[in-house]
Amino acid sequence: MHIQYTDDDIAAKAVQLGLIEKGEPLPRNLRGRVVAAMLQEQAPAEATAEPDIADEIVIQPNGVILVDGARFPWLVAKEPIDVRVDPEGVSTVRMTLFASTVQIIKSEPREEQR
């Protein structure tokens, strides 16, 4: 599914989020934050469900990584990959991914219940 937002849609959302006042230009460094908020609002409820665990991860000598038979779609850094095998449970693979930008969103503090 391809989602596209107009500059006006993004500016209106930035105003709603309190990042800018109406009529002000949106700084480039805030555009991604606004689009992320818009996408999160449109995410289907099932997207918040617990993600699936891979059945099989295959790491090949040429750097290709297959997850359940499909090629892992992101570039992986040429750094050590940490593999922990648990024959009686869930094994883990830890690797380093490249990203053009990284955004960390803090959760809202919970109000204490009385």
Side-chain angles (χ1 to χ4, degrees):
M1 173 164 68
H2 181 71
I3 299 175
Q4 220 171 357
Y5 300 108
T6 67
D7 289 338
D8 289 340
D9 293 338
I10 296 169
K13 185 63 178 179
V15 170
Q16 181 186 4
L17 293 171
L19 298 173
I20 60 171
E21 296 293 324
K22 188 172 183 170
E24 288 182 352
L26 178 65
R28 259 182 93 85
N29 65 324
L30 295 179
R31 186 176 176 89
R33 175 190 262 180
V34 174
V35 171
M38 294 170 80
L39 286 170
Q40 187 174 16
E41 286 177 353
Q42 290 186 341
E46 60 269 6
T48 59
E50 191 66 30
D52 291 334
I53 294 177
D55 288 325
E56 179 183 62
I57 297 175
V58 177
I59 302 169
Q60 299 176 348
N62 60 359
V64 173
I65 298 171
L66 303 175
V67 179
D68 293 340
R71 188 176 179 135
F72 191 70
W74 296 283
L75 183 62
V76 176
K78 290 185 177 179
E79 293 186 13
I81 295 176
D82 180 32
V83 179
R84 310 251 172 155
V85 178
D86 181 355
E88 297 179 15
V90 177
S91 300
T92 62
V93 176
R94 189 178 350 185
M95 61 189 93
T96 303
L97 302 179
F98 291 105
S100 297
T101 61
V102 175
Q103 182 178 13
I104 299 171
I105 300 174
K106 290 184 178 180
S107 61
E108 296 293 323
R110 296 183 184 181
E111 290 185 30
E112 291 183 32
Q113 295 182 358
R114 297 176 191 240

